[in-house]
Amino acid sequence: MFYWFLKVFALGPLLKTVFRPWVEGLENVPREGPAILVSNHLSFSDSVWLPLVVPRRITFPAKIEYFIGTGIKGRLTALFFRGIGQVPIDRAGGRASQIALDAGLRILQRGDLFGIYPEGTRSPDGRLYKGKTGVARLALASGAPVLPVAMIGTDKMQPPGKALPKLMRPGVRIGKPLDFSRYEGMEDDRFVLRSVTDEIMYELMELSGQEYVDIYAQRSKEDSQAKRRSVESGDRPASGSGSGDTTTTDRPEEPGSAVRKAS
C-alpha cells in the first residue's frame, strides 16, 4: 500500500535520517487493537511525525479542502491524502463532521489506530486551545482507550505558512492511556462530553507544557483576522471584545467538574 511504501521505503528513512525525530512513551501504544491518539496541533507536519515514529498505521482526519482542490496541484494533493488513507472532514460542523467521526468509529471497530486533533485546527500561537467534544463522543461510542500525544517543537520547525521545515529535531511524547469506561452509554450527554474532553485537554497540557487558552482556536483566528482588518481600515477595535480575547488562560476543568455543575 502507498502508506507503507512512503513510510518504509520512500519518505520515512529520509526524514528519520535528516531530522532525527525523538519519541517518548512508545510503550503506551498497544501492539494490537483499537486506540485513539489525541494530539495537540502545532504544525502541518504533525500528521507526518507521529505516524513516522509509531510502528502501527495511524489514520487521521484531514480537512476536506485537501480532497477537492483543482488543477494539477489540487489533484496531486487529493491523490496523496487518499493514498495514505486519510479521512476527509468538513470543519463547518454539524452532520458533515459527524460523517468523519462515523468513519473514525469504523476504523476503530476494525481494531486500528485513529488520530485526531481535538482543537480542530492548528494553534495560531503555540498555545493549547479548548477541545471540541467530538473526540469524547468517539471515545465513548467506541470504548477504545485514549492516548494523549504531545507534539514538541513542530511549530518552531514548520510555522504556519512555511512550506519547508527548518533543520531541527521534532519530538513526540505519548502519555499513558485514559480509560473512560465509567461513562459508557453516555455519549449523548453534553456535560459528560465536556468533562471527558476537558480531562483529555488537561493531560495534553501536562504532557506538552503549553499554556492553555479556554476558547476555541478557530474563534481566536477569526477574531485576530477581524481585528487586523479593523486596524488596516483605520477603525479602533473595541477593548475586551468578547470570547475572542486570547488573554484567557484558565486551565482545563478538573475531570468530572462539568458533571458536578450539572447536578
Side-chain angles (χ1 to χ4, degrees), residues 100-167:
L101 291 176
D102 290 343
L105 183 58
R106 289 194 297 271
I107 290 167
L108 293 167
Q109 288 172 339
R110 293 201 307 258
D112 295 334
L113 302 179
F114 188 70
I116 192 168
Y117 302 114
E119 293 168 278
T121 185
R122 282 172 284 176
S123 170
D125 53 18
R127 295 187 289 179
L128 182 68
Y129 282 78
K130 186 175 182 177
K132 297 186 176 182
T133 58
V135 62
R137 189 182 300 276
L138 183 61
L140 298 187
S142 66
V146 174
L147 301 180
V149 178
M151 307 302 301
I152 309 295
T154 56
D155 54 331
K156 299 178 179 62
M157 180 182 195
Q158 189 178 21
K162 297 295 183 181
L164 297 176
K166 297 178 182 178
L167 192 60

Side-chain angles (χ1 to χ4, degrees), residues 17-34:
T17 300
V18 174
F19 293 99
R20 298 182 300 121
W22 58 266
V23 59
E24 296 176 358
L26 194 58
E27 68 278 4
N28 293 321
V29 180
R31 294 186 178 182
E32 58 183 23

